[in-house]
Structure formats: structure tokens, C-alpha cells
Amino acid sequence: VRLTLELIAKSLSQKNRRDESLAQHLRKITHLKLSNKNIDIIDDLSLCKNLNVLYLYDNQIRQIHNLDFATNLRHLYLQNNCITRMENLASLIKLEKLYLGGNYITVVEGLENLEELRELHVESQQLPLGEKLLFDPRSLHSLARSLSVLNISNNNIDELSELAVLENLSHLIAVDNQLHHVKDMEFVLNVWTKLIKIELNGNPVCHKPKYRDRLILQSKSLESLDGKEIKEMERQFLMNWKASRDARKKNRAESSTNEHVPHSHFGKQEYLLDLLTGQC
């Protein structure tokens, strides 16, 4: 089924049109709901110049195209289609939310012009066996200051370090991936100083010893981890415990040094000599 102006006309309520012609009405509409219509091709919709929100999820669309006219578009819903590539999005300069989950995308790309994008949802891509979702560094760099919400769940992702450039991220959804290492998580949490929520359920890292404690200690901004609120009392307890542990380590290290280094000047010379000769 082609998405044409005729199809749009059929989906519009006659009540809203009054005495307007179809062309006049199409120029005025701001929202279009065309989900689950078996659409496979987007035709010329350039009359819909004031479109703000376009719902095209649950269709059979294979290619993103013919949206160059939609310079006022703010929300685009394209999840659960047959899209293989993120392309032809450069004109959507006001886009704030992009939903592309459940497609066949292998690379997050083509977002260099979308400097207003606040939310990107690319979860559950139908990837070739053994492959993971990849990210074009140019797109990540362009989204560094704007992107606040990122959903990359169920995409075989095994590390997050390349996403560290997303300095304004406040909510990351990365459930059911292949994240293994707490240290990798600590690295990105140290950079994401505005992160409030992170969801990592279904990753191997969740089963590592003191996983929750270590992540809470690493991020002062985090308010929710894996759907569970982080209470201030919990964070304070962990911070006190860490401070106490670090103090004990320091004391043990100092005690060990004092036991091995003699105090007299002559003793120090002998100690250094022993070190040089390998007798200490």
C-alpha cells in the first residue's frame, strides 16, 4: 500500500474539514495517524507542510524517503517496519523524538543534521546472527549536546564507551544486551554527569558482585537503577562504607611502610643498600 494524499484523505474526519478543500486542509494538519495500514511506500506528502507528529508504526515500510518537506516535524514514529537503513533524515531539522525500534537497522547513522533530537529509540533491531548494533561516530558527535533519552535494548551491544560523548544523557535503556564489565559501566557513569535513570536488566553485568553498589557510588546524579529508586540513605551508607574502607587501606599501607623503613639516617642507608643488592 502506498502512502498517498488519497489515503490520507480517507483517514481524515470529514467533520474537521468543514468547507475547506483537501489541499487547504492538508496544509493545516499537524498530526497524522497512519499506523497499521500495511503501508510499504511513502509517496509525495509535500502538501502537509505543517506536520508536527507522524505516526507510521506497524507498517511494511522499507525505506525512509519523501520526508524532505517535513521541516516542522517534531515526532516521527516508524517502529515495527522493515527499514534497513537510517537515511534521508537531514531535512528534519526540528525533530525531537525518533522511534525506529523493531526494524532491520544495523548502523545508527544519518543524524548529523538533527541537532534538536532529544529522544532516540532504536531497540530490538532484527540483526544478522552474531552481529551487534553499530554507531556512526559522526552521528553521535552531532547528538552530543541534545540527546537526553536513548533506548538501545536487545541489540547484542557489549560495551558503551563510544556513547560517552552523549554528555547530556539523562535516561539510558539498554536492557537485554551483552554488557559484561562493571568497570566499563563505571567509566561511562563518570562521564554522564546528568544521568538520572539507567536500565540494564538482562545483561550479564547485573550478576557481578556489588554491581548495584559500585554503580551508585560512581554516579552522584543517578536516581533510579534497573527500575529501582536509589534513596539518599542508601547512597550515603555506601559512601560512608567506602570512605571507611579507603581509610583502612591507607592505614594498612602506612603501617606496612613504617615497618620496612628504618628511622635512623644510617639505617636508611643500609636499607637502600639492601634494596640495591637485592637482599631486602
Side-chain angles (χ1 to χ4, degrees), residues 155-210:
N155 282 315
N156 292 330
I157 291 168
D158 54 8
E159 54 96 23
L160 299 175
S161 57
E162 62 188 327
L163 304 180
V165 297
L166 303 172
E167 59 189 59
N168 281 313
L169 208 61
S170 65
H171 186 189
L172 177 71
I173 308 133
V175 305
D176 297 330
N177 278 299
Q178 295 299 322
L179 299 167
H180 282 81
H181 305 295
V182 178
K183 280 191 175 181
D184 291 346
M185 301 309 309
E186 288 176 325
F187 170 74
V188 288
L189 286 175
N190 192 44
V191 179
W192 291 335
T193 56
K194 296 179 182 176
L195 196 70
I196 294 170
K197 294 175 71 176
I198 188 167
E199 295 164 43
L200 300 169
N201 311 75
N203 281 281
V205 71
C206 299
H207 304 294
K208 294 296 172 75
K210 298 200 179 296

Side-chain angles (χ1 to χ4, degrees), residues 115-138:
E115 294 182 356
E116 300 292 317
L117 198 68
R118 293 188 289 107
E119 293 192 23
L120 177 61
H121 301 262
V122 288
E123 73 283 0
S124 301
Q125 299 302 318
Q126 303 293 323
L127 296 162
L129 192 64
E131 291 192 19
K132 65 178 181 178
L133 185 66
L134 302 175
F135 298 86
D136 185 333
R138 294 168 296 183

